[in-house]
Amino acid sequence: RGLESYAHSKHFSAFFRLPKEESLKEVHECFLWVPFSHYNTHGKMCISENYICFASQDGSLCSVIIPLREVTGVDKGDPANRGVSISTKGKTAFRFTEVRDFELLVAKLRMKCNATASPQHIISTEVAAGSATDSPKDFGAEQSKMGQRDNSKTVSTEALMTVYHPQDAENLDSKMLKEKMKEQSWNILFAERGHGVSMFRTKKTRDLVVRGIPEALRGELWLLFSGAVNDMASNPGYYTELVEKSLGTCTLATDEIERDLRRSLPEHPAFQSDTGISALRRVLTAYAFRNPQIGYCQAMNILTSVLLLYAKEEEAFWLLVAVCERMLPDYFNRRIIGALVDQAVFEELIRVHLPQLTDHMTDMTFFSSVSLSWFLTLFISVLPIECAVNVVDCFFYDGIKAILQLGLAVLEYNMEKLLTCKDDAEAVTVLNRFFDSVTNKDSPLPPAVQQGSNLSDTKSDHPKVDITDLIRESNERYGDIRYEDVESLRCRNRLYVIQTLEATTKQNVLRVVSQEVKFSPSDLEELYELFKKEHFLSCYWSVNSPVLQHHDASLPYLEQYRVDCQQFRVLCHLLSPWSHCANRDSLALWTFRLMDESSNCLINFKQFACVLDTMYNGSFTDKLKFLFKLHIPPAFTEVESLSPSKGDDLSKEELMHFSQLSVSSVGDNLESGSLKSSPEKGKGKVDIQAYLKQWQDELLKKEENVKDLPRMNQSQFIQFSKTLYNLFHGDPEEELLYRAIAVVTSLLLKMEEVGRRLQSPMSPVRSPGAVTEVAAEGRERQEESSSEQTEGSRAQSLEGNHEWSFAFEQILASLLNEPAFVRFFEKPHDIKAKIESAKNLQLKARTRV
């Protein structure tokens, strides 16, 4: 029920072009008295927090929007007719009859109107209502009354067309006379049906829109029909504040805006001067600041340029808000999901209304590709500006339905030529020539402004098509397409489009990542699904998830799904071959830090897959290098070395004590000059030279050189040894591996002492047996000393006054000396078994977090 109620609210606010915050509260079936036609029309009264709306259901196409800010009185009508009378500031009374529970409704509406009629609200609505008709001087006076700062130097208050093409009332040619006749028709309509937000909108209103809105009224009516007038009334001073905050900021969006400013209607004189360019910059930058998730996308500059021609700067901003956030949802981003959905709707309408084209065209995606610019720019990019504005008139009145109808009319007009086309390129040429032939014979704009004025002579062989006739024909032939039908098609095709985009994203990601890892395609696909599922589990499991806050479907393929450290920890527990390790949480944290190169606390699937690939498919040297890097910055920090993480069983002193147990065996190996370990009960020996050669070959293939790796200091090496100790726990060769740790640790310490003595022969250095002696002495002193003496003194006595450290080559050579190490890290692991287990445990792991 909640979802259904939410869907009804969205449908309600979209149909009546109300602010997105409005939600449907009540619906009453009733009749509305239409005074100019002298009859009652049947329909539904829809009530939200701040609006009373009515839409007829008897085919009369009558609708009314009454903002509560305009209501001056609510009264009961004739009890016999169960009437409700609503009076507005425009001295218009709306009479509703046959309203169920009309007395209760009157009481509710009175309470609503009293609650909203605060002095500040009244002032703000008067400003908004007057902005469409008052002069700039009056509007500025109202702003100053409200205490707003003067922004005349930064915000233009005139539509650019009034500056660059003022109408000359004295010299009226035939086109200007037609323009004045259009204005008179609208004035008669206003007198009959009201003027402003609460006007009656009927079939007569649409007929006048189809003929083309007069130049002088275009900005005002765009603001009215789009619902932008309501947004502006609810947010007085908002645009000025945005301009002040956004100007001077430097982001990726502002860089793109600067690049496209002079590409927006460059042939129009308004955008050949700093006045138009500056206004366009302010509107686009302010919107990018308001809605950073959209920011700025191509096509927004073209649309905003046209809006600025006929609307004041603040009005153009709110018109852009209405288009991007309400009328064309999800259009303006990198994935243009909304546009792709409407393309799919367009294809379905072609199949229904133009089956001949469907039969002829083997690939219906042609229509989507060729019409994408039609939808993104409302035909502005393909039609001359004097024709495109008539299309924008219809769009603001009828929404996307007008664009779909016109698209069908364009295809039908060119049906015969399209049916003879042999390929897509030929069809594109046919449509381009058609758009070049479209004119507006009634446009009062001068030749310098009209884009199609220079085409009349050069293409005289092609028949001219008047835009008014084309729009009228689209309404006559396809006007039966209802708004509800379009919304239903949108919902149905949205799932298909998103599934297609998801499949494309998945294919692209897997194609890129497969070149970096050795997993089979099926295993890699399964890992991707687990990674993506973990992303969504966090999004829906935790409202405050950083992944949810940073999720952006418009990002490049690899960046659309990312996980944070907590999610990565869960995935490591499920999939890592080292998940049995006692300090697995620390390993997950260090691994995440190592991968998070951008320091945004998020990693993508490629980074995740490459880490798993190293664990499962890496060579001995790959895995050792990976573990080495986990124990040096930035993965491992000195703060952690001072406070070992939970699950680390060996302390620094215990490691030193552990290393002494095998010093005698190390001494034997050193005296014999051999770097080979004992046979270990008949186990095979390791070809050290082969591994070193393999390491050198890998260095040649990779950009990173072993010399670029920093040396590992003593605290880092101790933690490194602890990690190895934990990794080996439970292994069949656990005893051999523990003994090997002791041998390698002692060997490395011995090598460090010898190396320091060679570098500084005069410095006091302990003999090769010093490690054993010092460790033994330290143990004796501990037994004799008080309980307050810590084992740290033994480690300090071992370290002396020198900080010891190891290079990666030293650790590699030492570990290669122990066959048990090599066997452990080269032992194969079954990723398929881990994946199957993870599928069953992923949700359970989330519930335990």
Side-chain angles (χ1 to χ4, degrees):
R1 287 195 299 270
L3 289 174
E4 186 176 357
S5 175
Y6 177 80
H8 283 314
S9 291
K10 287 296 182 184
H11 179 81
F12 159 74
S13 59
F15 181 83
F16 290 105
R17 313 281 167 75
L18 301 180
K20 58 184 180 181
E21 296 81 12
E22 294 297 314
S23 59
L24 183 61
K25 298 298 184 182
E26 299 180 50
V27 179
H28 299 272
E29 193 169 342
C30 61
F31 289 87
L32 172 65
W33 173 251
V34 184
F36 47 87
S37 298
H38 303 287
Y39 81 103
N40 283 306
T41 181
H42 177 255
K44 290 184 177 180
M45 178 197 299
C46 304
I47 301 175
S48 67
E49 292 89 346
N50 300 295
Y51 295 88
I52 304 170
C53 304
F54 176 88
S56 64
Q57 294 181 301
D58 58 3
S60 63
L61 300 178
C62 177
S63 63
V64 170
I65 301 172
I66 309 172
L68 294 184
R69 64 177 183 265
E70 298 287 333
V71 174
T72 57
V74 181
D75 302 299
K76 299 177 185 177
D78 184 358
N81 295 328
R82 294 181 294 178
V84 177
S85 179
I86 300 176
S87 304
T88 63
K89 294 178 182 177
K91 298 182 181 179
T92 303
F94 297 91
R95 288 165 34 189
F96 299 91
T97 55
E98 302 300 326
V99 182
R100 180 180 299 180
D101 299 328
F102 73 102
E103 294 181 343
L104 179 61
L105 178 62
V106 168
K108 288 181 179 179
L109 291 178
R110 284 176 176 174
M111 290 181 62
K112 276 180 172 287
C113 295
N114 291 334
T116 57
S118 63
Q120 179 65 28
H121 183 85
I122 294 174
I123 294 174
S124 65
T125 53
E126 287 176 349
V127 172
S131 63
T133 54
D134 294 348
S135 65
K137 181 178 178 181
D138 294 336
F139 182 59
E142 292 292 343
Q143 283 185 318
S144 62
K145 289 179 182 179
M146 296 175 62
Q148 297 181 356
R149 63 182 65 181
D150 181 19
N151 62 334
S152 59
K153 295 182 180 180
T154 58
V155 177
S156 171
T157 58
E158 291 288 346
L160 295 177
M161 194 62 78
T162 62
V163 177
Y164 289 91
H165 180 49
Q167 294 187 5
D168 189 352
E170 297 180 358
N171 300 321
L172 296 180
D173 54 14
S174 59
K175 291 184 178 181
M176 286 303 300
L177 285 173
K178 288 184 179 180
E179 188 75 2
K180 291 299 179 182
M181 291 175 62
K182 283 184 181 180
E183 291 183 26
Q184 186 61 28
S185 298
W186 279 96
N187 289 331
I188 294 173
L189 183 79
F190 294 149
E192 290 181 350
R193 292 160 170 78
H195 191 179
V197 181
S198 302
M199 68 182 294
F200 282 87
R201 308 179 195 198
T202 62
K203 186 177 182 300
K204 177 66 174 177
T205 312
R206 175 179 280 109
D207 291 340
L208 290 181
V209 171
V210 168
R211 289 174 52 191
I213 297 176
E215 298 277 314
L217 298 176
R218 184 161 274 144
E220 174 190 346
L221 293 178
W222 282 0
L223 204 68
L224 182 66
F225 295 145
S226 67
V229 63
N230 296 316
D231 294 316
M232 194 166 71
S234 303
N235 299 275
Y238 176 77
Y239 175 67
T240 305
E241 182 181 352
L242 272 187
V243 170
E244 293 174 352
K245 290 181 178 179
S246 62
L247 281 184
T249 58
C250 184
T251 63
L252 178 61
T254 57
D255 292 342
E256 293 176 346
I257 289 171
E258 288 298 326
R259 186 173 62 247
D260 288 348
L261 283 177
R262 301 190 181 277
R263 303 176 187 175
S264 311
L265 301 184
E267 68 286 339
H268 197 286
F271 298 100
Q272 296 171 359
S273 68
D274 186 63
T275 302
I277 294 294
S278 297
L280 181 61
R281 177 187 293 112
R282 288 191 292 269
V283 173
L284 291 175
T285 305
Y287 185 79
F289 190 85
R290 164 190 167 87
N291 192 344
Q293 188 166 0
I294 292 179
Y296 169 77
C297 297
Q298 289 185 344
M300 288 175 65
N301 60 319
I302 297 174
L303 175 61
T304 307
S305 300
V306 175
L307 299 179
L308 282 168
L309 290 178
Y310 294 97
K312 301 172 185 178
E313 190 174 316
E314 182 179 10
E315 296 171 347
F317 169 80
W318 287 113
L319 284 169
L320 183 63
V321 170
V323 172
C324 294
E325 299 177 13
R326 184 165 56 241
M327 302 186 71
L328 296 179
D330 291 335
Y331 260 63
F332 299 98
N333 53 52
R334 286 186 176 87
R335 298 180 81 186
I336 56 172
I337 292 177
L340 294 177
V341 170
D342 286 342
Q343 297 301 295
V345 172
F346 189 49
E347 288 180 16
E348 284 206 39
L349 293 176
I350 293 173
R351 292 188 186 96
V352 173
H353 296 279
L354 303 174
Q356 307 97 311
L357 274 181
T358 306
D359 297 337
H360 177 71
M361 303 296 292
T362 57
D363 186 6
M364 288 292 289
T365 57
F366 162 75
F367 296 109
S368 296
S369 59
V370 76
S371 62
L372 184 60
S373 63
W374 306 355
F375 288 81
L376 284 173
T377 65
L378 308 179
F379 284 91
I380 296 171
S381 62
V382 294
L383 288 175
I385 184 63
E386 66 274 12
C387 303
V389 291
N390 285 36
V391 178
V392 178
D393 294 342
C394 298
F395 168 75
F396 278 128
Y397 191 82
D398 274 329
I400 194 62
K401 174 176 174 285
I403 305 300
L404 292 168
Q405 291 176 180
L406 184 59
L408 291 172
V410 168
L411 294 180
E412 183 182 12
Y413 192 94
N414 295 276
M415 176 77 73
E416 293 182 3
K417 293 181 180 179
L418 289 174
L419 291 177
T420 61
C421 292
K422 299 178 181 179
D423 53 36
D424 293 350
E426 193 175 347
V428 170
T429 302
V430 168
L431 292 174
N432 287 339
R433 288 179 178 174
F434 168 76
F435 288 124
D436 289 341
S437 69
V438 177
T439 62
N440 188 347
K441 63 179 185 296
D442 295 331
S443 174
L445 299 179
V449 173
Q450 294 191 36
Q451 292 175 293
S453 60
N454 298 326
L455 300 174
S456 56
D457 298 331
T458 57
K459 296 186 181 290
S460 57
D461 57 324
H462 200 286
K464 299 299 176 185
V465 181
D466 187 70
I467 186 62
T468 305
D469 296 336
L470 186 63
I471 292 176
R472 183 185 297 112
E473 186 174 344
S474 72
N475 270 272
E476 291 174 355
R477 290 184 177 272
Y478 307 108
D480 58 341
I481 299 175
R482 300 186 308 155
Y483 171 81
E484 293 81 0
D485 298 334
V486 173
E487 287 301 310
S488 176
L489 289 172
R490 273 180 163 179
C491 291
R492 190 170 70 197
N493 284 281
R494 185 176 182 84
L495 181 60
Y496 165 75
V497 168
I498 291 177
Q499 287 175 337
T500 303
L501 288 174
E502 288 298 312
T504 303
T505 298
K506 179 178 176 179
Q507 292 170 4
N508 287 325
V509 170
L510 294 181
R511 186 178 65 251
V512 171
V513 177
S514 63
Q515 301 173 5
E516 304 287 336
V517 299
K518 298 176 183 177
F519 289 123
S520 67
S522 59
D523 290 342
L524 191 61
E525 184 175 355
E526 296 279 11
L527 288 173
Y528 177 83
E529 293 297 338
L530 286 169
F531 185 88
K532 179 180 171 182
K533 184 178 180 180
E534 186 61 33
H535 165 90
F536 280 113
L537 280 174
S538 290
C539 286
Y540 292 102
W541 203 270
S542 174
V543 177
N544 297 321
S545 168
V547 176
L548 181 62
Q549 296 169 5
H550 292 91
H551 179 60
D552 184 0
S554 67
L555 291 172
Y557 293 120
L558 278 173
E559 302 301 319
Q560 285 178 21
Y561 298 115
R562 296 176 290 177
V563 296
D564 58 22
C565 189
Q566 178 68 7
Q567 294 167 293
F568 178 74
R569 184 181 72 85
V570 174
L571 288 172
C572 278
H573 289 182
L574 295 172
L575 295 167
S576 172
W578 302 335
S579 58
H580 66 278
C581 186
N583 64 333
R584 61 180 185 173
D585 286 344
S586 296
L587 283 178
L589 172 62
W590 301 335
T591 304
F592 185 86
R593 286 178 184 164
L594 184 64
M595 290 185 293
D596 185 21
E597 298 175 354
S598 58
S599 299
N600 61 358
C601 298
L602 297 169
I603 62 171
N604 58 37
F605 178 70
K606 180 181 177 182
Q607 295 167 315
F608 173 74
C610 288
V611 165
L612 276 188
D613 185 63
T614 301
M615 295 178 180
Y616 279 94
N617 303 317
S619 64
F620 172 78
T621 49
D622 286 334
K623 294 176 182 177
L624 186 61
K625 179 185 173 186
F626 173 65
L627 284 171
F628 182 90
K629 293 172 73 172
L630 289 187
H631 293 83
I632 59 176
F636 182 80
T637 63
E638 292 300 325
V639 175
E640 289 166 316
S641 68
L642 298 176
S643 55
S645 60
K646 184 178 180 181
D648 296 339
D649 298 328
L650 284 177
S651 68
K652 178 179 176 182
E653 292 74 22
E654 288 170 334
L655 178 64
M656 293 300 179
H657 177 67
F658 190 50
S659 69
Q660 93 171 47
L661 298 179
S662 298
V663 167
S664 59
S665 62
V666 177
D668 295 338
N669 289 334
L670 288 173
E671 291 174 2
S672 63
S674 171
L675 288 177
K676 299 177 182 177
S677 66
S678 58
E680 293 185 5
K681 298 181 182 180
K683 299 286 177 85
K685 298 178 181 179
V686 178
D687 186 353
I688 299 177
Q689 295 301 323
Y691 275 97
L692 292 176
K693 184 178 184 304
Q694 177 189 4
W695 173 247
Q696 293 299 327
D697 292 341
E698 291 177 1
L699 288 179
L700 294 176
K701 298 176 184 177
K702 300 181 179 180
E703 295 181 1
E704 184 182 52
N705 193 293
V706 65
K707 294 181 180 179
D708 296 332
L709 291 174
R711 295 174 68 88
M712 181 179 281
N713 66 30
Q714 54 195 37
S715 59
Q716 294 161 0
F717 179 73
I718 290 170
Q719 184 60 59
F720 175 76
S721 300
K722 291 179 183 180
T723 298
L724 293 178
Y725 174 86
N726 288 317
L727 281 178
F728 300 152
H729 181 67
D731 191 88
E733 295 186 323
E734 182 176 359
E735 183 179 350
L736 291 175
L737 290 165
Y738 288 166
R739 186 176 302 167
I741 294 177
V743 172
V744 169
T745 303
S746 299
L747 176 60
L748 287 170
L749 291 172
K750 186 69 62 179
M751 292 169 60
E752 177 67 18
E753 291 290 340
V754 173
R756 189 182 300 120
R757 182 171 56 186
L758 291 175
Q759 291 178 1
S760 305
M762 300 302 295
S763 63
V765 180
R766 296 175 179 84
S767 62
V771 177
T772 306
E773 296 172 2
V774 172
E777 291 173 3
R779 185 169 62 251
E780 292 173 0
R781 285 198 303 270
Q782 182 190 22
E783 294 173 354
E784 296 174 356
S785 63
S786 63
S787 58
E788 296 179 358
Q789 184 180 9
T790 64
E791 292 192 11
S793 62
R794 292 182 301 157
Q796 188 174 3
S797 66
L798 173 64
E799 295 159 13
N801 297 323
H802 303 281
E803 284 285 332
W804 44 270
S805 61
F806 302 113
F808 178 75
E809 307 99 303
Q810 293 175 291
I811 297 177
L812 173 65
S814 301
L815 291 179
L816 283 174
N817 188 43
E818 297 297 327
F821 271 112
V822 179
R823 285 195 301 272
F824 176 84
F825 284 109
E826 289 198 334
K827 181 168 48 180
H829 296 279
D830 186 6
I831 184 66
K832 294 183 183 297
K834 279 286 189 179
I835 290 174
E836 289 303 318
S837 174
K839 288 180 181 178
N840 298 324
L841 298 175
Q842 191 172 28
L843 185 57
K844 294 181 181 177
R846 171 61 54 186
T847 60
R848 290 195 299 266
V849 171

